[in-house]
Amino acid sequence: MMRGKFVIAGVGHTAFGTLPGRSTVSLNVEACRRALEDAGIEKRAVDGVFVKTPTSAREILYGQTLSEALGLQPRIGIALDQGGAANMSGIAFACLAIEAGMCEVALVCYADNPRSGSRATYARPRGDDAAFGWFSTAAGYAMIHRRHVAEHGTPEAAFGAVAVAARRHGAANPNAQLRKPLTLDGYLAAAPLVAPLRRDDCALISDGAAALVVMSARRAREIGVKAAVPILGMGQAHTSWEVTQRPCLTSTRAKDAARDAFAMAGLGPADIQVAQIYDCFTITVLMTLEDYGFCPPGQAEGFVREGRIVHGGDLPLNTAGGLLSETGMPGLQLVIEAVRQVRGTATLQVPGVRHALVSNQGGTMHTHATLILGG
Amino acid sequence: MTLPTPEVTPLNEAYWAGLAAGELRFQHCPHCGHRWLPARRECPACLREGAAWEKAAGTGQVISWVVYHTAYHDAFRDRLPYNVAIVELDEGPRLITNILAPHESIAAGMRVRLELQSDFGVNLPRFAPVGAA
Ligand SMILES: [Zn+2]
Protein backbone atom coordinates (compact mmCIF):
# COMPACT_ATOMS: atom_id res chain seq x y z
CA MET A 1 0.00 0.00 0.00
CA MET A 2 1.16 3.50 -0.83
CA ARG A 3 -0.98 5.24 1.82
CA GLY A 4 1.15 7.34 4.16
CA LYS A 5 4.39 5.93 2.78
CA PHE A 6 5.53 9.22 1.27
CA VAL A 7 5.51 12.78 2.55
CA ILE A 8 5.73 16.34 1.39
CA ALA A 9 8.70 17.37 3.49
CA GLY A 10 8.97 21.00 2.44
CA VAL A 11 7.20 23.64 0.38
CA GLY A 12 8.34 26.91 -1.15
CA HIS A 13 7.15 29.57 -3.54
CA THR A 14 8.10 32.93 -4.97
CA ALA A 15 6.02 36.09 -4.78
CA PHE A 16 2.94 35.87 -7.03
CA GLY A 17 1.90 38.44 -9.61
CA THR A 18 4.13 40.45 -11.93
CA LEU A 19 7.80 39.55 -11.65
CA PRO A 20 9.53 41.20 -14.61
CA GLY A 21 13.03 40.25 -15.61
CA ARG A 22 12.87 36.75 -14.13
CA SER A 23 13.27 33.66 -16.28
CA THR A 24 11.19 30.60 -15.44
CA VAL A 25 14.42 28.84 -14.50
CA SER A 26 15.31 31.57 -12.02
CA LEU A 27 11.81 31.46 -10.51
CA ASN A 28 12.02 27.68 -10.20
CA VAL A 29 15.39 27.90 -8.47
CA GLU A 30 14.02 30.37 -5.91
CA ALA A 31 11.00 28.17 -5.15
CA CYS A 32 13.22 25.05 -4.84
CA ARG A 33 15.63 26.88 -2.52
CA ARG A 34 12.72 27.86 -0.27
CA ALA A 35 11.28 24.34 -0.33
CA LEU A 36 14.64 22.86 0.70
CA GLU A 37 14.92 25.44 3.50
CA ASP A 38 11.41 24.58 4.66
CA ALA A 39 12.28 20.86 4.70
CA GLY A 40 15.53 21.65 6.48
CA ILE A 41 17.62 19.57 4.09
CA GLU A 42 20.67 20.20 1.97
CA LYS A 43 20.50 20.43 -1.79
CA ARG A 44 22.93 17.56 -2.19
CA ALA A 45 20.31 15.18 -0.79
CA VAL A 46 18.16 15.73 -3.89
CA ASP A 47 18.43 13.05 -6.55
CA GLY A 48 15.15 13.50 -8.43
CA VAL A 49 13.80 16.52 -10.31
CA PHE A 50 10.21 16.48 -11.59
CA VAL A 51 9.30 19.76 -13.27
CA LYS A 52 6.17 20.77 -15.14
CA THR A 53 7.08 22.55 -18.36
CA PRO A 54 6.22 26.27 -18.43
CA THR A 55 2.88 26.80 -20.16
CA SER A 56 3.67 30.05 -21.90
CA ALA A 57 7.10 29.32 -23.38
CA ARG A 58 8.07 25.81 -24.45
CA GLU A 59 11.74 24.87 -24.25
CA ILE A 60 13.41 21.63 -25.15
CA LEU A 61 15.44 19.86 -22.46
CA TYR A 62 13.84 22.10 -19.86
CA GLY A 63 14.50 19.61 -17.06
CA GLN A 64 18.21 19.65 -17.87
CA THR A 65 18.35 23.44 -18.07
CA LEU A 66 16.72 23.63 -14.66
CA SER A 67 18.87 20.92 -13.11
CA GLU A 68 21.97 22.73 -14.34
CA ALA A 69 20.74 25.94 -12.69
CA LEU A 70 20.07 23.96 -9.51
CA GLY A 71 23.57 22.52 -9.69
CA LEU A 72 22.14 19.01 -9.68
CA GLN A 73 22.81 15.84 -11.63
CA PRO A 74 19.72 13.90 -10.62
CA ARG A 75 19.40 10.12 -10.86
CA ILE A 76 15.94 10.60 -12.27
CA GLY A 77 14.31 13.62 -13.81
CA ILE A 78 11.52 14.56 -16.13
CA ALA A 79 9.81 17.59 -17.64
CA LEU A 80 6.09 16.87 -17.58
CA ASP A 81 3.64 18.16 -20.17
CA GLN A 82 0.07 17.61 -18.92
CA GLY A 83 -1.03 21.17 -18.36
CA GLY A 84 -2.30 21.84 -14.87
CA ALA A 85 -2.40 18.21 -13.76
CA ALA A 86 1.35 17.83 -14.29
CA ASN A 87 2.39 19.08 -10.88
CA MET A 88 0.44 16.46 -9.02
CA SER A 89 1.34 13.83 -11.56
CA GLY A 90 4.93 14.83 -10.78
CA ILE A 91 4.33 14.12 -7.10
CA ALA A 92 2.93 10.69 -7.97
CA PHE A 93 5.79 9.85 -10.32
CA ALA A 94 8.27 10.97 -7.66
CA CYS A 95 6.64 8.62 -5.14
CA LEU A 96 6.73 5.76 -7.64
CA ALA A 97 10.40 6.42 -8.36
CA ILE A 98 11.21 6.45 -4.62
CA GLU A 99 9.19 3.24 -4.15
CA ALA A 100 11.17 1.63 -6.99
CA GLY A 101 14.45 2.69 -5.42
CA MET A 102 15.31 4.96 -8.34
CA CYS A 103 15.65 8.09 -6.18
CA GLU A 104 15.28 9.12 -2.56
CA VAL A 105 14.56 12.84 -2.40
CA ALA A 106 12.68 14.59 -5.17
CA LEU A 107 11.99 18.20 -6.04
CA VAL A 108 8.63 18.75 -7.76
CA CYS A 109 8.34 22.24 -9.17
CA TYR A 110 6.79 24.62 -11.65
CA ALA A 111 7.40 28.18 -12.83
CA ASP A 112 6.04 30.44 -15.50
CA ASN A 113 6.04 34.12 -16.39
CA PRO A 114 3.13 34.79 -18.78
CA ARG A 115 2.20 38.04 -17.04
CA SER A 116 5.45 39.84 -17.76
CA GLY A 117 6.24 37.56 -20.72
CA SER A 118 3.86 36.26 -23.40
CA ARG A 119 0.17 35.46 -22.90
CA ALA A 120 -0.20 34.28 -26.48
CA THR A 121 -0.80 30.66 -25.52
CA TYR A 122 -4.06 31.58 -23.77
CA ALA A 123 -5.36 33.41 -26.87
CA ARG A 124 -4.17 30.80 -29.36
CA PRO A 125 -6.06 29.78 -32.51
CA ARG A 126 -7.49 26.29 -32.04
CA GLY A 127 -6.20 24.70 -35.25
CA ASP A 128 -8.06 25.07 -38.54
CA ASP A 129 -11.18 25.91 -36.56
CA ALA A 130 -9.73 29.40 -36.11
CA ALA A 131 -11.49 30.07 -39.43
CA PHE A 132 -14.73 30.07 -37.44
CA GLY A 133 -13.26 32.37 -34.82
CA TRP A 134 -12.45 29.48 -32.44
CA PHE A 135 -9.67 30.96 -30.32
CA SER A 136 -8.45 30.91 -26.70
CA THR A 137 -8.33 28.67 -23.68
CA ALA A 138 -11.27 30.51 -22.12
CA ALA A 139 -13.63 29.62 -24.99
CA GLY A 140 -13.14 25.89 -24.42
CA TYR A 141 -14.23 26.25 -20.80
CA ALA A 142 -17.08 28.52 -21.91
CA MET A 143 -18.37 25.65 -24.11
CA ILE A 144 -18.37 23.33 -21.09
CA HIS A 145 -19.91 26.00 -18.83
CA ARG A 146 -22.74 26.54 -21.34
CA ARG A 147 -23.47 22.85 -21.68
CA HIS A 148 -23.59 22.45 -17.90
CA VAL A 149 -26.15 25.26 -17.73
CA ALA A 150 -28.12 23.64 -20.56
CA GLU A 151 -28.17 20.20 -18.91
CA HIS A 152 -28.65 21.21 -15.29
CA GLY A 153 -30.07 24.73 -15.32
CA THR A 154 -27.05 25.90 -13.32
CA PRO A 155 -27.78 29.50 -12.29
CA GLU A 156 -25.37 32.39 -12.85
CA ALA A 157 -25.30 32.91 -9.09
CA ALA A 158 -23.62 29.51 -8.63
CA PHE A 159 -20.68 30.48 -10.81
CA GLY A 160 -20.68 33.81 -9.00
CA ALA A 161 -20.61 32.11 -5.60
CA VAL A 162 -17.40 30.28 -6.55
CA ALA A 163 -15.74 33.52 -7.66
CA VAL A 164 -16.94 35.45 -4.61
CA ALA A 165 -15.65 32.77 -2.20
CA ALA A 166 -12.24 32.66 -3.90
CA ARG A 167 -11.90 36.42 -3.74
CA ARG A 168 -12.99 36.50 -0.11
CA HIS A 169 -10.29 33.98 0.78
CA GLY A 170 -7.71 35.74 -1.37
CA ALA A 171 -8.43 39.05 0.33
CA ALA A 172 -7.20 37.49 3.57
CA ASN A 173 -3.99 36.18 1.96
CA PRO A 174 -1.14 38.72 2.05
CA ASN A 175 0.58 36.86 -0.83
CA ALA A 176 -2.46 36.88 -3.10
CA GLN A 177 -2.15 38.64 -6.43
CA LEU A 178 -5.75 39.93 -6.43
CA ARG A 179 -6.95 40.91 -2.97
CA LYS A 180 -9.92 43.04 -3.99
CA PRO A 181 -13.10 41.38 -2.73
CA LEU A 182 -15.95 40.69 -5.11
CA THR A 183 -19.70 40.76 -4.54
CA LEU A 184 -22.25 38.73 -6.45
CA ASP A 185 -23.62 41.97 -7.92
CA GLY A 186 -20.11 42.92 -8.99
CA TYR A 187 -19.69 39.49 -10.57
CA LEU A 188 -22.96 39.78 -12.49
CA ALA A 189 -22.26 43.34 -13.59
CA ALA A 190 -18.99 42.52 -15.38
CA ALA A 191 -19.15 42.45 -19.17
CA PRO A 192 -19.02 39.01 -20.81
CA LEU A 193 -15.68 37.97 -22.24
CA VAL A 194 -16.62 34.83 -24.17
CA ALA A 195 -20.22 34.36 -23.04
CA PRO A 196 -21.25 32.74 -20.80
CA LEU A 197 -17.87 33.52 -19.18
CA ARG A 198 -17.46 36.80 -17.39
CA ARG A 199 -14.19 38.36 -16.30
CA ASP A 200 -14.36 36.96 -12.78
CA ASP A 201 -14.99 33.39 -13.97
CA CYS A 202 -11.42 33.37 -15.28
CA ALA A 203 -8.12 32.62 -13.53
CA LEU A 204 -5.50 35.29 -13.11
CA ILE A 205 -2.48 35.42 -15.34
CA SER A 206 0.55 35.23 -13.10
CA ASP A 207 4.29 35.04 -12.88
CA GLY A 208 5.69 32.85 -10.15
CA ALA A 209 6.95 29.46 -9.06
CA ALA A 210 6.25 26.81 -6.46
CA ALA A 211 8.15 23.73 -5.34
CA LEU A 212 7.85 20.75 -3.03
CA VAL A 213 10.30 18.27 -1.54
CA VAL A 214 9.00 14.67 -1.66
CA MET A 215 10.59 11.75 0.18
CA SER A 216 9.60 8.59 2.02
CA ALA A 217 8.01 8.94 5.44
CA ARG A 218 10.79 6.76 6.80
CA ARG A 219 13.51 9.00 5.43
CA ALA A 220 11.74 12.07 6.81
CA ARG A 221 11.65 10.48 10.27
CA GLU A 222 15.31 9.44 10.08
CA ILE A 223 16.56 12.91 9.24
CA GLY A 224 14.12 14.67 11.54
CA VAL A 225 12.02 16.67 9.06
CA LYS A 226 9.91 18.89 11.30
CA ALA A 227 6.60 19.22 9.52
CA ALA A 228 6.37 16.39 7.00
CA VAL A 229 2.85 15.96 5.64
CA PRO A 230 1.88 12.39 4.64
CA ILE A 231 0.41 11.65 1.23
CA LEU A 232 -2.59 9.41 1.81
CA GLY A 233 -4.03 9.10 -1.66
CA MET A 234 -3.21 9.86 -5.29
CA GLY A 235 -5.07 9.36 -8.54
CA GLN A 236 -4.82 10.39 -12.16
CA ALA A 237 -7.02 9.95 -15.20
CA HIS A 238 -7.18 11.65 -18.54
CA THR A 239 -10.16 12.67 -20.63
CA SER A 240 -7.89 13.23 -23.65
CA TRP A 241 -10.51 14.18 -26.25
CA GLU A 242 -10.53 17.81 -27.37
CA VAL A 243 -13.67 19.61 -26.17
CA THR A 244 -15.15 19.45 -29.65
CA GLN A 245 -14.93 15.68 -29.77
CA ARG A 246 -15.70 14.81 -26.14
CA PRO A 247 -18.87 12.69 -26.02
CA CYS A 248 -19.87 14.18 -22.64
CA LEU A 249 -18.99 17.76 -21.73
CA THR A 250 -20.33 17.85 -18.17
CA SER A 251 -18.41 15.04 -16.48
CA THR A 252 -14.76 14.13 -16.87
CA ARG A 253 -12.21 11.55 -15.84
CA ALA A 254 -11.68 13.68 -12.72
CA LYS A 255 -14.24 11.21 -11.38
CA ASP A 256 -11.79 8.34 -11.83
CA ALA A 257 -8.80 10.28 -10.51
CA ALA A 258 -10.78 10.99 -7.33
CA ARG A 259 -12.06 7.43 -7.02
CA ASP A 260 -8.50 6.08 -7.12
CA ALA A 261 -7.21 8.66 -4.63
CA PHE A 262 -10.07 8.00 -2.21
CA ALA A 263 -9.51 4.24 -2.55
CA MET A 264 -5.79 4.54 -1.83
CA ALA A 265 -6.50 6.72 1.20
CA GLY A 266 -9.38 4.54 2.40
CA LEU A 267 -11.50 7.68 2.60
CA GLY A 268 -14.54 9.26 1.00
CA PRO A 269 -15.75 12.80 0.37
CA ALA A 270 -17.32 13.00 3.86
CA ASP A 271 -13.86 12.56 5.42
CA ILE A 272 -12.44 15.74 3.86
CA GLN A 273 -12.35 18.90 6.00
CA VAL A 274 -10.84 21.30 3.44
CA ALA A 275 -10.35 21.12 -0.32
CA GLN A 276 -8.21 22.95 -2.85
CA ILE A 277 -9.99 22.57 -6.17
CA TYR A 278 -8.45 23.78 -9.39
CA ASP A 279 -10.38 26.90 -10.32
CA CYS A 280 -8.94 28.05 -13.62
CA PHE A 281 -12.59 28.79 -14.43
CA THR A 282 -15.57 28.63 -12.07
CA ILE A 283 -17.19 25.78 -14.03
CA THR A 284 -14.23 23.57 -13.13
CA VAL A 285 -15.06 23.87 -9.43
CA LEU A 286 -18.72 22.97 -9.91
CA MET A 287 -17.93 19.95 -12.08
CA THR A 288 -15.16 18.77 -9.75
CA LEU A 289 -17.50 18.89 -6.75
CA GLU A 290 -19.91 16.71 -8.72
CA ASP A 291 -17.36 14.31 -10.24
CA TYR A 292 -15.59 13.86 -6.87
CA GLY A 293 -18.86 12.92 -5.20
CA PHE A 294 -19.17 15.93 -2.89
CA CYS A 295 -22.60 16.35 -4.45
CA PRO A 296 -24.68 14.58 -7.11
CA PRO A 297 -24.49 15.64 -10.79
CA GLY A 298 -26.11 19.02 -11.31
CA GLN A 299 -26.31 19.82 -7.61
CA ALA A 300 -23.07 21.70 -7.04
CA GLU A 301 -25.00 24.91 -7.62
CA GLY A 302 -26.94 24.52 -4.39
CA PHE A 303 -23.82 23.36 -2.54
CA VAL A 304 -21.83 26.48 -3.42
CA ARG A 305 -24.72 28.91 -2.92
CA GLU A 306 -25.39 27.67 0.61
CA GLY A 307 -22.11 29.12 1.83
CA ARG A 308 -20.58 25.71 2.49
CA ILE A 309 -17.41 26.49 0.50
CA VAL A 310 -16.39 29.64 2.37
CA HIS A 311 -14.15 29.60 5.42
CA GLY A 312 -16.48 28.66 8.27
CA GLY A 313 -18.57 26.42 6.03
CA ASP A 314 -18.42 22.63 6.13
CA LEU A 315 -16.14 22.28 3.07
CA PRO A 316 -14.01 25.42 2.74
CA LEU A 317 -12.51 25.57 -0.75
CA ASN A 318 -9.38 27.29 -1.99
CA THR A 319 -8.63 28.88 1.35
CA ALA A 320 -5.71 30.92 -0.01
CA GLY A 321 -7.75 32.26 -2.94
CA GLY A 322 -7.07 29.69 -5.64
CA LEU A 323 -6.31 30.51 -9.26
CA LEU A 324 -9.02 33.16 -9.21
CA SER A 325 -7.35 35.25 -6.51
CA GLU A 326 -4.05 33.96 -5.10
CA THR A 327 -2.22 33.23 -8.35
CA GLY A 328 -3.20 31.85 -11.75
CA MET A 329 -0.29 29.40 -11.63
CA PRO A 330 -1.42 25.89 -12.54
CA GLY A 331 -1.93 24.15 -9.27
CA LEU A 332 1.15 23.58 -7.15
CA GLN A 333 0.13 26.51 -4.92
CA LEU A 334 -3.03 24.53 -4.13
CA VAL A 335 -0.90 21.65 -2.85
CA ILE A 336 1.10 24.10 -0.74
CA GLU A 337 -2.09 25.48 0.81
CA ALA A 338 -3.26 21.93 1.57
CA VAL A 339 0.10 21.30 3.27
CA ARG A 340 -0.40 24.45 5.38
CA GLN A 341 -3.91 23.34 6.32
CA VAL A 342 -2.67 19.95 7.49
CA ARG A 343 0.23 21.56 9.37
CA GLY A 344 -2.17 24.03 10.96
CA THR A 345 -0.31 27.07 9.63
CA ALA A 346 -2.72 28.44 7.01
CA THR A 347 -3.79 32.08 7.17
CA LEU A 348 -7.42 31.02 6.96
CA GLN A 349 -6.87 27.87 8.99
CA VAL A 350 -9.74 25.42 9.08
CA PRO A 351 -10.05 23.92 12.57
CA GLY A 352 -9.41 20.21 13.02
CA VAL A 353 -8.08 19.34 9.56
CA ARG A 354 -7.38 15.64 9.39
CA HIS A 355 -7.64 15.24 5.61
CA ALA A 356 -7.10 17.86 2.92
CA LEU A 357 -7.88 17.17 -0.71
CA VAL A 358 -6.37 18.78 -3.80
CA SER A 359 -7.71 18.57 -7.35
CA ASN A 360 -5.64 19.62 -10.34
CA GLN A 361 -6.57 19.49 -14.01
CA GLY A 362 -5.06 20.67 -17.26
CA GLY A 363 -5.68 21.57 -20.86
CA THR A 364 -9.42 22.09 -21.20
CA MET A 365 -10.24 19.47 -18.57
CA HIS A 366 -8.09 17.01 -20.54
CA THR A 367 -5.92 15.83 -17.64
CA HIS A 368 -6.83 15.20 -14.00
CA ALA A 369 -4.97 14.46 -10.79
CA THR A 370 -6.12 14.11 -7.19
CA LEU A 371 -4.11 14.23 -3.98
CA ILE A 372 -5.22 13.59 -0.41
CA LEU A 373 -2.97 14.72 2.43
CA GLY A 374 -3.41 14.15 6.12
CA GLY A 375 -2.03 13.01 9.41
CA MET B 1 -7.40 42.01 -42.43
CA THR B 2 -7.43 38.45 -43.74
CA LEU B 3 -9.11 35.70 -41.79
CA PRO B 4 -7.12 32.70 -40.58
CA THR B 5 -7.07 30.22 -43.46
CA PRO B 6 -7.33 26.47 -42.93
CA GLU B 7 -4.15 24.62 -43.77
CA VAL B 8 -4.94 22.21 -46.58
CA THR B 9 -2.77 19.09 -46.34
CA PRO B 10 -2.76 15.73 -48.14
CA LEU B 11 -4.62 14.38 -45.10
CA ASN B 12 -7.51 16.86 -45.12
CA GLU B 13 -7.68 17.94 -48.76
CA ALA B 14 -10.68 15.67 -49.43
CA TYR B 15 -12.53 17.52 -46.66
CA TRP B 16 -11.89 20.96 -48.13
CA ALA B 17 -12.41 19.73 -51.70
CA GLY B 18 -15.79 18.36 -50.59
CA LEU B 19 -16.78 21.71 -49.17
CA ALA B 20 -15.63 23.45 -52.35
CA ALA B 21 -17.85 21.02 -54.26
CA GLY B 22 -20.79 21.83 -51.99
CA GLU B 23 -20.77 18.88 -49.61
CA LEU B 24 -19.67 18.20 -46.05
CA ARG B 25 -17.73 14.98 -45.68
CA PHE B 26 -16.58 12.92 -42.72
CA GLN B 27 -14.30 9.92 -42.45
CA HIS B 28 -15.60 6.40 -42.14
CA CYS B 29 -13.58 3.30 -41.19
CA PRO B 30 -14.25 0.37 -43.53
CA HIS B 31 -12.89 -2.06 -40.91
CA CYS B 32 -14.87 -1.15 -37.80
CA GLY B 33 -17.49 1.33 -38.99
CA HIS B 34 -16.32 4.23 -36.80
CA ARG B 35 -17.02 7.73 -38.17
CA TRP B 36 -15.19 10.91 -37.26
CA LEU B 37 -13.93 14.41 -37.92
CA PRO B 38 -11.40 16.02 -38.23
CA ALA B 39 -9.22 14.09 -40.67
CA ARG B 40 -6.90 11.39 -39.34
CA ARG B 41 -4.77 8.79 -41.03
CA GLU B 42 -5.56 6.05 -38.52
CA CYS B 43 -9.00 5.17 -37.16
CA PRO B 44 -9.00 6.14 -33.45
CA ALA B 45 -11.21 3.15 -32.68
CA CYS B 46 -9.37 0.24 -34.38
CA LEU B 47 -6.13 2.07 -35.35
CA ARG B 48 -6.23 0.78 -38.92
CA GLU B 49 -5.69 2.89 -42.04
CA GLY B 50 -7.78 3.23 -45.15
CA ALA B 51 -10.60 5.50 -43.99
CA ALA B 52 -13.11 6.50 -46.65
CA TRP B 53 -14.74 9.90 -47.04
CA GLU B 54 -18.52 9.94 -46.88
CA LYS B 55 -21.00 12.71 -47.59
CA ALA B 56 -22.93 13.94 -44.55
CA ALA B 57 -26.66 14.48 -44.78
CA GLY B 58 -25.97 17.93 -43.37
CA THR B 59 -28.35 17.76 -40.44
CA GLY B 60 -27.49 17.67 -36.78
CA GLN B 61 -27.91 19.28 -33.39
CA VAL B 62 -26.23 21.98 -31.32
CA ILE B 63 -24.20 20.53 -28.43
CA SER B 64 -22.94 23.83 -27.01
CA TRP B 65 -22.11 27.36 -28.09
CA VAL B 66 -20.30 30.48 -26.94
CA VAL B 67 -20.51 34.13 -27.91
CA TYR B 68 -17.29 36.10 -28.30
CA HIS B 69 -17.37 39.63 -26.96
CA THR B 70 -13.65 39.99 -27.34
CA ALA B 71 -11.54 39.33 -30.43
CA TYR B 72 -8.41 37.21 -30.11
CA HIS B 73 -7.58 37.97 -33.77
CA ASP B 74 -8.03 41.32 -35.50
CA ALA B 75 -9.97 39.72 -38.35
CA PHE B 76 -12.87 39.03 -35.99
CA ARG B 77 -13.00 42.46 -34.38
CA ASP B 78 -15.72 43.82 -36.66
CA ARG B 79 -17.76 40.61 -36.33
CA LEU B 80 -18.23 40.95 -32.57
CA PRO B 81 -20.29 39.61 -30.98
CA TYR B 82 -20.10 36.35 -32.93
CA ASN B 83 -20.91 32.78 -31.93
CA VAL B 84 -18.95 29.56 -32.19
CA ALA B 85 -20.74 26.26 -31.67
CA ILE B 86 -20.17 22.53 -31.49
CA VAL B 87 -22.56 20.67 -33.78
CA GLU B 88 -23.03 16.91 -33.79
CA LEU B 89 -23.96 15.54 -37.19
CA ASP B 90 -26.71 12.94 -37.29
CA GLU B 91 -24.04 10.47 -38.46
CA GLY B 92 -22.07 11.07 -35.22
CA PRO B 93 -19.02 13.24 -35.96
CA ARG B 94 -18.80 16.62 -34.23
CA LEU B 95 -17.35 19.85 -35.54
CA ILE B 96 -16.74 23.48 -34.66
CA THR B 97 -18.94 25.87 -36.62
CA ASN B 98 -21.00 29.05 -36.46
CA ILE B 99 -24.79 29.08 -36.08
CA LEU B 100 -26.62 31.41 -38.46
CA ALA B 101 -29.23 32.58 -35.99
CA PRO B 102 -29.66 35.29 -33.36
CA HIS B 103 -27.52 34.34 -30.36
CA GLU B 104 -30.50 34.45 -27.98
CA SER B 105 -32.30 31.83 -30.07
CA ILE B 106 -29.56 29.20 -29.92
CA ALA B 107 -30.23 26.26 -27.60
CA ALA B 108 -28.66 22.91 -26.79
CA GLY B 109 -30.29 20.20 -28.85
CA MET B 110 -31.50 22.70 -31.46
CA ARG B 111 -31.85 21.01 -34.85
CA VAL B 112 -29.69 22.58 -37.53
CA ARG B 113 -28.85 22.01 -41.17
CA LEU B 114 -25.73 22.72 -43.18
CA GLU B 115 -25.38 26.05 -44.95
CA LEU B 116 -22.11 26.50 -46.80
CA GLN B 117 -20.80 30.04 -46.81
CA SER B 118 -17.83 31.38 -48.67
CA ASP B 119 -15.46 33.23 -46.39
CA PHE B 120 -11.98 34.36 -47.44
CA GLY B 121 -12.49 32.29 -50.58
CA VAL B 122 -13.08 29.02 -48.74
CA ASN B 123 -16.45 27.32 -48.29
CA LEU B 124 -17.04 26.98 -44.57
CA PRO B 125 -19.63 24.58 -43.12
CA ARG B 126 -21.98 26.72 -41.07
CA PHE B 127 -25.40 25.73 -39.78
CA ALA B 128 -28.85 27.32 -39.68
CA PRO B 129 -31.83 26.28 -37.59
CA VAL B 130 -33.99 23.70 -39.32
CA GLY B 131 -37.05 25.45 -40.68
CA ALA B 132 -35.28 28.79 -41.06
CA ALA B 133 -35.65 30.45 -44.45
ZN1 LIG C 1 -11.76 1.49 -37.35
Side-chain angles (χ1 to χ4, degrees):
Chain A
M1 275 298 292
M2 297 279 277
R3 184 188 201 275
K5 208 166 176 182
F6 305 95
V7 298
I8 295 174
V11 300
H13 62 80
T14 62
F16 301 137
T18 309
L19 307 171
R22 297 285 299 277
S23 70
T24 63
V25 168
S26 158
L27 293 166
N28 260 319
V29 171
E30 180 188 338
C32 289
R33 184 182 73 230
R34 293 179 186 279
L36 291 168
E37 285 167 5
D38 184 52
I41 64 166
E42 296 294 323
K43 181 188 82 175
R44 61 185 146 75
V46 175
D47 58 358
V49 176
F50 297 76
V51 60
K52 174 194 176 318
T53 54
T55 305
S56 72
R58 303 274 175 206
E59 281 182 49
I60 58 161
L61 285 175
Y62 188 78
Q64 271 48 61
T65 306
L66 175 61
S67 293
E68 180 189 35
L70 288 166
L72 290 171
Q73 294 177 291
R75 289 168 69 195
I76 191 163
I78 192 167
L80 281 154
D81 176 14
Q82 290 185 349
N87 292 301
M88 286 189 356
S89 295
I91 296 170
F93 293 134
C95 293
L96 293 171
I98 296 167
E99 175 74 4
M102 296 181 75
C103 75
E104 294 185 17
V105 177
L107 278 166
V108 178
C109 59
Y110 172 71
D112 203 2
N113 55 8
R115 193 167 183 87
S116 53
S118 170
R119 307 178 189 196
T121 187
Y122 301 111
R124 72 188 181 283
R126 298 179 81 125
D128 284 340
D129 291 327
F132 299 95
W134 181 230
F135 283 80
S136 84
T137 300
Y141 284 90
M143 267 312 172
I144 297 170
H145 178 134
R146 175 86 74 184
R147 181 73 194 186
H148 197 276
V149 172
E151 283 183 24
H152 298 298
T154 320
E156 293 176 317
F159 298 95
V162 172
V164 168
R167 296 280 288 277
R168 178 166 157 184
H169 297 159
N173 175 358
N175 295 318
Q177 180 177 330
L178 179 58
R179 300 190 63 195
K180 190 177 164 214
L182 177 72
T183 62
L184 184 58
D185 286 344
Y187 167 85
L188 294 169
L193 185 71
V194 179
L197 291 186
R198 296 178 162 90
R199 179 195 60 206
D200 299 306
D201 287 306
C202 308
L204 305 174
I205 292 183
S206 313
D207 301 338
L212 312 173
V213 178
V214 175
M215 63 178 71
S216 69
R218 188 172 53 79
R219 173 74 175 255
R221 274 194 308 275
E222 283 167 5
I223 62 176
V225 173
K226 285 193 197 70
V229 170
I231 294 169
L232 303 181
M234 295 179 280
Q236 293 182 42
H238 306 298
T239 297
S240 304
W241 290 107
E242 180 50 57
V243 174
T244 324
Q245 304 300 327
R246 205 170 287 173
C248 172
L249 288 185
T250 54
S251 176
T252 68
R253 294 268 282 157
K255 185 180 275 188
D256 305 286
R259 181 202 57 217
D260 289 355
F262 279 127
M264 186 186 289
L267 299 170
D271 301 310
I272 303 299
Q273 287 81 39
V274 60
Q276 311 299 327
I277 293 187
Y278 203 88
D279 56 344
C280 51
F281 295 90
T282 53
I283 178 61
T284 312
V285 174
L286 299 180
M287 281 176 51
T288 303
L289 286 169
E290 294 170 359
D291 276 335
Y292 275 38
F294 288 106
C295 39
Q299 293 185 27
E301 59 98 359
F303 193 91
V304 301
R305 287 194 296 154
E306 287 159 9
R308 299 170 71 174
I309 62 167
V310 295
H311 187 245
D314 62 352
L315 186 70
L317 294 189
N318 300 353
T319 39
L323 280 74
L324 295 170
S325 180
E326 184 184 32
T327 165
M329 292 196 323
L332 209 45
Q333 74 278 17
L334 301 179
V335 179
I336 292 179
E337 174 64 4
V339 165
R340 287 188 292 248
Q341 287 287 353
V342 173
R343 286 176 171 176
T345 59
T347 300
L348 286 183
Q349 182 64 42
V350 172
V353 172
R354 292 180 58 228
H355 308 122
L357 174 142
V358 194
S359 170
N360 274 187
Q361 61 102 62
T364 311
M365 302 195 192
H366 285 76
T367 59
H368 305 276
T370 310
L371 184 70
I372 299 171
L373 304 177
Chain B
M1 176 59 65
T2 52
L3 291 167
T5 312
E7 189 189 349
V8 180
T9 65
L11 188 62
N12 69 19
E13 69 181 342
Y15 179 76
W16 294 106
L19 290 167
E23 63 182 53
L24 174 61
R25 298 170 181 167
F26 58 85
Q27 279 179 304
H28 171 249
C29 176
H31 311 289
C32 76
H34 189 61
R35 301 155 167 174
W36 69 87
L37 278 174
R40 300 173 189 273
R41 186 177 173 92
E42 298 84 17
C43 168
C46 75
L47 311 186
R48 281 178 278 192
E49 300 182 13
W53 286 95
E54 204 170 295
K55 181 185 173 186
T59 49
Q61 61 161 317
V62 173
I63 298 299
S64 194
W65 76 104
V66 301
V67 179
Y68 284 72
H69 292 267
T70 187
Y72 293 93
H73 185 291
D74 284 342
F76 292 92
R77 212 165 292 283
D78 60 3
R79 298 184 177 202
L80 295 175
Y82 68 89
N83 73 67
V84 174
I86 299 170
V87 160
E88 182 176 277
L89 301 176
D90 288 339
E91 294 90 345
R94 291 184 174 191
L95 70 160
I96 284 286
T97 184
N98 307 118
I99 303 297
L100 306 169
H103 302 147
E104 317 77 60
S105 71
I106 305 172
M110 185 167 89
R111 296 288 304 160
V112 290
R113 63 172 164 71
L114 179 67
E115 194 166 313
L116 289 172
Q117 286 194 336
S118 180
D119 217 342
F120 60 89
V122 178
N123 265 1
L124 290 180
R126 294 191 167 116
F127 288 80
V130 168

